[in-house]
Amino acid sequence: YEVFVSNQKLDDAMAVATAALRQVPNRPDWIRRLAQAAEWSQHPVEALAAWRLLATKFNEEKAWEGMARLAPGMLSDEDMLRVWQRQALLRPLDVRELREIQAVYERLALPLEGAAFFEKTFARHPSAKLLEQAAYLRHSMGDVDGALVNYRRLADTYGPQPKWAISEASLLYGRNEQHKAFEALKAAESVATEQDRNFWKLLGEIG
């Protein structure tokens, strides 16, 4: 294997690694060699599969990096989701990353699973954006109760904000709970400014 790699005979190196894994399946050193040779020789499907196996079975950091490197170009949302889910366990994610994760869940037609992911991540790394995205995804699937829980949790945790009050009131008004909708808006009235025109408009309509 090393001789083939040093001589840039990468397809041959890949063949050696593949043959070795037939003899000793699931050996991490040979899976790693297969992943590297496949990626170097422009065989991304085989490389991604090998990195995936190494990452999920042996939790190797370089394998997760390999998945993150190859999955976007392969349009493999399932693999990107695995990468993001692991990252969320390790560190807080920024706004751009959270948007990417939301988009992945939506492309996979898994909005409720996405909402649950954001809610669980909030428990580890609290961020208002997480609950906003959870509420949005639940609302998109008609889970009004779940969306309302998240908007109320936002207000309880971070204090009322006009944009959250508008969302909560709109959901309540949409199911003919006008009094509760009005109360949701009134709770944020003291922090609303002149620029919050939609807030004042809705308050006037409901009140």
Side-chain angles (χ1 to χ4, degrees), residues 173-185:
Y173 192 71
R175 60 185 193 183
N176 297 317
E177 295 185 54
Q178 184 171 344
H179 180 68
K180 289 183 178 180
F182 181 72
E183 288 182 337
L185 292 170

Side-chain angles (χ1 to χ4, degrees), residues 52-128:
R52 182 191 306 119
L53 178 60
L54 198 60
T56 56
K57 194 173 182 66
F58 300 101
N59 198 31
E60 281 202 10
E61 186 62 34
K62 285 187 177 180
W64 288 108
E65 292 171 2
M67 286 180 66
R69 190 167 54 247
L70 293 177
M74 299 295 295
L75 303 179
S76 179
D77 284 332
E78 292 86 352
D79 286 313
M80 280 311 304
L81 200 53
R82 292 187 183 99
V83 172
W84 285 125
Q85 287 170 339
R86 179 175 181 271
Q87 286 297 308
L89 294 173
L90 300 176
R91 63 177 176 84
L93 302 174
D94 62 34
V95 172
R96 178 190 60 80
E97 291 170 329
L98 293 174
R99 286 180 183 145
E100 288 185 18
I101 295 169
Q102 177 180 316
V104 170
Y105 274 110
E106 290 182 303
R107 286 197 299 270
L108 291 171
L110 297 171
L112 292 181
E113 288 82 350
F117 166 80
F118 288 125
E119 289 158 358
K120 289 176 183 176
T121 303
F122 177 84
R124 290 188 296 271
H125 305 295
S127 163

